[in-house]
Amino acid sequence: MSRISRRRFLRVAGVGMAASTLPSFASSETARRPFSADAAGSCLAISSANGIASVAVARALVLEKAMRPVSAAVRGVASVEADENDMSVGYGGLPNELGVVQLDSACMDGPTHNAGSVASIEDIMHPAQVAELVMDHTDHINLVGPGARQFALDYGFKAENLLTERARGIWLKWRAQRSGDDRLWPLLDTVPADPALAAEPRPWGTIHCSVLAPNADLGCCTTTSGLAFKIPGRIGDSPLIGCGLYCDNEVGSAGATGRGEAAILSGGSWLVVERMRAGDTPEEACLYALRRVAQQAERGARWQPALWKDGQPNFGLTFYALRKDGLYGSANMRGGGRFAIADEKGARLENCAIAFGQ
Ligand code: ASP
């Protein structure tokens, strides 16, 4: 699968140099390779498991339309944002504690090392596309709340109700069963009344998508309705660069789904990319970041005992990574997870490596 050798990758990424020698930040020879259809084997898209269609679309857009990777990722996730059955992203997403759907999204472009994001945006079905406009048409990175919504309207997006009857029904059940002040431990809140969510902790979701083009350019995006029943205005990791996503065109691209607070506190996606810069495979980098998260969670458990159980983190978190040479991988905290990948063999789900558990 590798299109450039590991030795060359390490050289490009500046690994193994004396501490006093800064790696070259000029575009690498690899990054300048001209676009060529017969290099399609090096065109990949990786995403969370809910993005099996998204990775196929993103890869096709790069190969057939020569679209830049970040735009292909943004367009790839659009069908999930519009899917009322995915209750963790966009339309149909579970609302905040007041019953309002608030979305978080960001994208990052490898070649320009630029990014855009919107957080707590309401009424806009495709926040990833708004994030892309923030990136391309402003010199800001983050827009939040009413400002983000107005920005989207200014660019022609229409305001629409994103709360489906099904999501509203689940929210009503949650509200009816809510007892006391649960704001301190929201991740352990359950929604037992809905069969689709029975036995789940408060439902997690999100889609991350990273894309590698045949010329070795990278881009990514992450989009979500965030933690269900969150406190209004709560921002997760998805719209925060370095947390829910990060890419460096010299090295690779990464993203996260799961407990956003843990991805924020660890700078998780940034850490994954930096580990790849240091020579880790994508899977090794994801596992390294999860172990770091676990160490931090164990310390944090003094304050939040619910985060730590049976000697391991009591929450879910998954990292996804794509290296510039075409290696990819994913790992999750507690097992059972899968991720979507599209390459020359097509789009499919593969198992995540596991940091803890069986
Ligand atoms: N990471 C998202 C957040 O914390 C939620 C998720 O991925 O499940 O908002």
Side-chain angles (χ1 to χ4, degrees):
M1 166 170 320
S2 232
R3 303 294 298 186
I4 58 176
S5 70
R6 181 179 166 92
R7 179 182 298 173
R8 190 162 163 221
F9 168 76
L10 296 176
R11 182 162 53 76
V12 165
V15 176
M17 294 179 169
S20 57
T21 316
L22 284 174
S24 162
F25 289 106
S27 287
S28 66
E29 187 191 329
T30 320
R32 290 210 185 102
R33 266 193 324 209
F35 184 93
S36 142
D38 59 7
S42 65
C43 184
L44 287 96
I46 187 173
S47 80
S48 38
N50 53 352
I52 182 109
S54 306
V55 288
V57 167
R59 184 169 184 273
L61 287 170
V62 171
L63 289 176
E64 289 161 23
K65 309 271 184 212
M67 192 177 276
R68 62 181 179 169
V70 63
S71 300
V74 165
R75 265 130 211 99
V77 301
S79 61
V80 180
E81 290 179 323
D83 180 1
E84 64 180 313
N85 293 315
D86 191 318
M87 306 191 83
S88 66
V89 181
Y91 178 60
L94 290 169
N96 67 18
E97 67 177 23
L98 297 180
V100 177
V101 179
Q102 292 187 323
L103 306 177
D104 291 343
S105 187
C107 64
M108 189 157 189
D109 177 46
T112 57
H113 202 73
N114 198 8
S117 102
V118 291
S120 266
I121 188 171
E122 297 176 11
D123 303 330
I124 306 294
M125 190 180 293
H126 293 293
Q129 293 172 25
V130 185
E132 189 181 14
L133 286 167
V134 174
M135 178 179 79
D136 286 339
H137 294 281
T138 78
D139 70 347
H140 303 345
I141 307 289
N142 306 112
L143 294 183
V144 63
R149 182 181 183 278
Q150 187 57 52
F151 178 85
L153 296 178
D154 291 347
Y155 275 85
F157 287 80
K158 66 175 191 289
E160 43 200 331
N161 176 23
L162 303 181
L163 185 66
T164 58
E165 276 310 306
R166 182 169 172 229
R168 183 165 179 276
I170 294 172
W171 169 71
L172 285 172
K173 286 175 196 160
W174 169 81
R175 201 178 60 166
Q177 292 171 12
R178 186 180 176 197
S179 59
D181 181 1
D182 72 339
R183 287 177 148 186
L184 197 52
W185 318 118
L187 81 160
L188 298 179
D189 212 19
T190 55
V191 192
D194 188 273
L197 300 167
E200 287 284 335
R202 185 178 287 198
W204 303 99
T206 297
I207 179 166
H208 168 76
C209 183
S210 281
V211 178
L212 174 71
N215 69 350
D217 279 346
L218 290 150
C220 61
C221 83
T222 302
T223 184
T224 187
S225 51
L227 177 65
F229 321 130
K230 59 195 174 187
I231 297 170
R234 177 264 189 190
I235 293 172
D237 57 320
S238 309
L240 300 180
I241 308 306
C243 304
L245 74 168
Y246 190 71
C247 97
D248 185 316
N249 219 45
E250 293 286 306
V251 177
S253 181
T257 61
R259 180 170 162 76
E261 283 70 11
I264 294 170
L265 291 171
S266 59
S269 294
W270 178 85
L271 180 58
V272 170
V273 171
E274 288 308 303
R275 287 301 301 185
M276 292 195 288
R277 190 194 303 279
D280 276 3
T281 65
E283 186 177 293
E284 288 167 348
C286 293
L287 286 167
Y288 181 96
L290 288 172
R291 287 189 209 107
R292 173 76 62 81
V293 167
Q295 289 165 352
Q296 294 165 345
E298 189 173 13
R299 264 179 271 149
R302 287 186 214 138
W303 309 94
Q304 292 180 282
L307 292 177
W308 194 255
K309 195 175 164 198
D310 302 329
Q312 59 180 267
N314 189 28
F315 54 83
L317 183 63
T318 305
F319 288 113
Y320 313 85
L322 181 52
R323 214 168 67 172
K324 192 173 178 68
D325 60 1
L327 279 185
Y328 62 85
S330 171
N332 72 15
M333 195 62 99
R334 294 188 302 181
R338 309 188 87 190
F339 65 97
I341 183 78
D343 59 14
E344 74 276 15
K345 288 181 268 173
R348 61 192 177 279
L349 294 177
E350 293 190 8
N351 292 329
C352 301
I354 304 168
F356 290 88
Q358 48 304 54

mmCIF file of all heavy atoms in Angstrom, residues 176-194:
data_model
loop_
_atom_site.group_PDB
_atom_site.id
_atom_site.type_symbol
_atom_site.label_atom_id
_atom_site.label_comp_id
_atom_site.label_asym_id
_atom_site.label_seq_id
_atom_site.Cartn_x
_atom_site.Cartn_y
_atom_site.Cartn_z
ATOM 1 N N ALA A 176 -37.856 13.202 30.678
ATOM 2 C CA ALA A 176 -38.786 12.670 31.668
ATOM 3 C C ALA A 176 -38.059 11.833 32.727
ATOM 4 O O ALA A 176 -38.459 11.800 33.887
ATOM 5 C CB ALA A 176 -39.840 11.819 30.966
ATOM 6 N N GLN A 177 -36.982 11.165 32.312
ATOM 7 C CA GLN A 177 -36.284 10.271 33.240
ATOM 8 C C GLN A 177 -35.136 10.944 33.966
ATOM 9 O O GLN A 177 -34.530 10.342 34.856
ATOM 10 C CB GLN A 177 -35.723 9.083 32.464
ATOM 11 C CG GLN A 177 -36.820 8.195 31.934
ATOM 12 C CD GLN A 177 -36.288 7.155 30.993
ATOM 13 O OE1 GLN A 177 -35.095 6.965 30.902
ATOM 14 N NE2 GLN A 177 -37.178 6.488 30.294
ATOM 15 N N ARG A 178 -34.836 12.126 33.554
ATOM 16 C CA ARG A 178 -33.706 12.828 34.132
ATOM 17 C C ARG A 178 -33.973 13.063 35.607
ATOM 18 O O ARG A 178 -35.060 13.474 35.998
ATOM 19 C CB ARG A 178 -33.574 14.149 33.402
ATOM 20 C CG ARG A 178 -32.397 14.924 33.771
ATOM 21 C CD ARG A 178 -32.406 16.200 32.967
ATOM 22 N NE ARG A 178 -31.311 17.005 33.403
ATOM 23 C CZ ARG A 178 -31.185 18.286 33.167
ATOM 24 N NH1 ARG A 178 -32.123 18.909 32.469
ATOM 25 N NH2 ARG A 178 -30.158 18.943 33.600
ATOM 26 N N SER A 179 -32.980 12.793 36.431
ATOM 27 C CA SER A 179 -33.201 13.048 37.847
ATOM 28 C C SER A 179 -32.050 13.869 38.408
ATOM 29 O O SER A 179 -30.890 13.596 38.131
ATOM 30 C CB SER A 179 -33.330 11.736 38.610
ATOM 31 O OG SER A 179 -32.163 10.980 38.433
ATOM 32 N N GLY A 180 -32.406 14.827 39.204
ATOM 33 C CA GLY A 180 -31.390 15.636 39.876
ATOM 34 C C GLY A 180 -30.535 16.428 38.908
ATOM 35 O O GLY A 180 -30.884 16.632 37.753
ATOM 36 N N ASP A 181 -29.383 16.851 39.406
ATOM 37 C CA ASP A 181 -28.462 17.630 38.587
ATOM 38 C C ASP A 181 -27.409 16.684 38.023
ATOM 39 O O ASP A 181 -26.487 16.278 38.710
ATOM 40 C CB ASP A 181 -27.815 18.711 39.456
ATOM 41 C CG ASP A 181 -26.863 19.559 38.643
ATOM 42 O OD1 ASP A 181 -26.738 19.321 37.423
ATOM 43 O OD2 ASP A 181 -26.251 20.459 39.229
ATOM 44 N N ASP A 182 -27.565 16.300 36.750
ATOM 45 C CA ASP A 182 -26.630 15.328 36.169
ATOM 46 C C ASP A 182 -25.530 16.018 35.370
ATOM 47 O O ASP A 182 -24.812 15.377 34.637
ATOM 48 C CB ASP A 182 -27.385 14.358 35.258
ATOM 49 C CG ASP A 182 -27.832 15.021 33.958
ATOM 50 O OD1 ASP A 182 -27.927 16.261 33.933
ATOM 51 O OD2 ASP A 182 -28.071 14.297 32.978
ATOM 52 N N ARG A 183 -25.392 17.292 35.531
ATOM 53 C CA ARG A 183 -24.479 18.002 34.635
ATOM 54 C C ARG A 183 -23.016 17.668 34.883
ATOM 55 O O ARG A 183 -22.180 17.851 34.010
ATOM 56 C CB ARG A 183 -24.699 19.507 34.784
ATOM 57 C CG ARG A 183 -26.003 19.928 34.140
ATOM 58 C CD ARG A 183 -26.241 21.373 34.348
ATOM 59 N NE ARG A 183 -26.955 21.948 33.225
ATOM 60 C CZ ARG A 183 -27.193 23.246 33.096
ATOM 61 N NH1 ARG A 183 -26.782 24.093 34.015
ATOM 62 N NH2 ARG A 183 -27.838 23.699 32.065
ATOM 63 N N LEU A 184 -22.732 17.151 36.063
ATOM 64 C CA LEU A 184 -21.344 16.833 36.362
ATOM 65 C C LEU A 184 -20.889 15.551 35.667
ATOM 66 O O LEU A 184 -19.748 15.398 35.293
ATOM 67 C CB LEU A 184 -21.175 16.696 37.879
ATOM 68 C CG LEU A 184 -19.753 16.769 38.422
ATOM 69 C CD1 LEU A 184 -19.036 18.005 37.917
ATOM 70 C CD2 LEU A 184 -19.788 16.733 39.931
ATOM 71 N N TRP A 185 -21.799 14.611 35.489
ATOM 72 C CA TRP A 185 -21.422 13.316 34.922
ATOM 73 C C TRP A 185 -22.258 13.003 33.679
ATOM 74 O O TRP A 185 -22.858 11.948 33.588
ATOM 75 C CB TRP A 185 -21.623 12.184 35.933
ATOM 76 C CG TRP A 185 -21.188 12.491 37.320
ATOM 77 C CD1 TRP A 185 -21.973 12.525 38.425
ATOM 78 C CD2 TRP A 185 -19.863 12.776 37.771
ATOM 79 N NE1 TRP A 185 -21.225 12.823 39.531
ATOM 80 C CE2 TRP A 185 -19.920 12.986 39.165
ATOM 81 C CE3 TRP A 185 -18.624 12.887 37.136
ATOM 82 C CZ2 TRP A 185 -18.807 13.291 39.924
ATOM 83 C CZ3 TRP A 185 -17.522 13.199 37.901
ATOM 84 C CH2 TRP A 185 -17.621 13.393 39.274
ATOM 85 N N PRO A 186 -22.319 13.861 32.750
ATOM 86 C CA PRO A 186 -23.253 13.643 31.641
ATOM 87 C C PRO A 186 -22.965 12.388 30.834
ATOM 88 O O PRO A 186 -23.865 11.790 30.290
ATOM 89 C CB PRO A 186 -23.083 14.893 30.781
ATOM 90 C CG PRO A 186 -21.756 15.432 31.162
ATOM 91 C CD PRO A 186 -21.524 15.065 32.585
ATOM 92 N N LEU A 187 -21.726 11.946 30.783
ATOM 93 C CA LEU A 187 -21.428 10.836 29.868
ATOM 94 C C LEU A 187 -22.046 9.534 30.326
ATOM 95 O O LEU A 187 -22.185 8.609 29.548
ATOM 96 C CB LEU A 187 -19.925 10.663 29.685
ATOM 97 C CG LEU A 187 -19.153 9.900 30.760
ATOM 98 C CD1 LEU A 187 -17.844 9.420 30.174
ATOM 99 C CD2 LEU A 187 -18.901 10.766 31.960
ATOM 100 N N LEU A 188 -22.416 9.432 31.597
ATOM 101 C CA LEU A 188 -22.956 8.178 32.080
ATOM 102 C C LEU A 188 -24.475 8.162 32.099
ATOM 103 O O LEU A 188 -25.088 7.178 32.499
ATOM 104 C CB LEU A 188 -22.409 7.895 33.483
ATOM 105 C CG LEU A 188 -20.888 7.735 33.493
ATOM 106 C CD1 LEU A 188 -20.401 7.485 34.899
ATOM 107 C CD2 LEU A 188 -20.457 6.613 32.579
ATOM 108 N N ASP A 189 -25.054 9.235 31.671
ATOM 109 C CA ASP A 189 -26.505 9.292 31.627
ATOM 110 C C ASP A 189 -27.009 8.274 30.611
ATOM 111 O O ASP A 189 -26.453 8.132 29.545
ATOM 112 C CB ASP A 189 -26.919 10.694 31.179
ATOM 113 C CG ASP A 189 -28.214 11.106 31.808
ATOM 114 O OD1 ASP A 189 -28.608 10.526 32.816
ATOM 115 O OD2 ASP A 189 -28.835 12.002 31.264
ATOM 116 N N THR A 190 -28.069 7.574 30.922
ATOM 117 C CA THR A 190 -28.564 6.582 29.980
ATOM 118 C C THR A 190 -29.899 6.999 29.388
ATOM 119 O O THR A 190 -30.585 7.853 29.922
ATOM 120 C CB THR A 190 -28.747 5.220 30.665
ATOM 121 O OG1 THR A 190 -29.601 5.409 31.784
ATOM 122 C CG2 THR A 190 -27.426 4.652 31.101
ATOM 123 N N VAL A 191 -30.226 6.385 28.281
ATOM 124 C CA VAL A 191 -31.514 6.645 27.631
ATOM 125 C C VAL A 191 -32.191 5.292 27.474
ATOM 126 O O VAL A 191 -32.372 4.792 26.378
ATOM 127 C CB VAL A 191 -31.301 7.310 26.261
ATOM 128 C CG1 VAL A 191 -32.625 7.856 25.717
ATOM 129 C CG2 VAL A 191 -30.285 8.423 26.353
ATOM 130 N N PRO A 192 -32.569 4.658 28.578
ATOM 131 C CA PRO A 192 -33.007 3.268 28.502
ATOM 132 C C PRO A 192 -34.330 3.073 27.788
ATOM 133 O O PRO A 192 -34.630 1.988 27.316
ATOM 134 C CB PRO A 192 -33.129 2.851 29.973
ATOM 135 C CG PRO A 192 -33.307 4.122 30.716
ATOM 136 C CD PRO A 192 -32.622 5.187 29.929
ATOM 137 N N ALA A 193 -35.122 4.114 27.694
ATOM 138 C CA ALA A 193 -36.464 3.919 27.167
ATOM 139 C C ALA A 193 -36.484 3.707 25.655
ATOM 140 O O ALA A 193 -37.427 3.151 25.125
ATOM 141 C CB ALA A 193 -37.336 5.109 27.529
ATOM 142 N N ASP A 194 -35.452 4.111 24.958
ATOM 143 C CA ASP A 194 -35.474 3.950 23.512
ATOM 144 C C ASP A 194 -34.703 2.690 23.128
ATOM 145 O O ASP A 194 -33.523 2.571 23.420
ATOM 146 C CB ASP A 194 -34.841 5.160 22.831
ATOM 147 C CG ASP A 194 -35.042 5.066 21.332
ATOM 148 O OD1 ASP A 194 -34.202 4.430 20.673
ATOM 149 O OD2 ASP A 194 -36.044 5.612 20.836
#
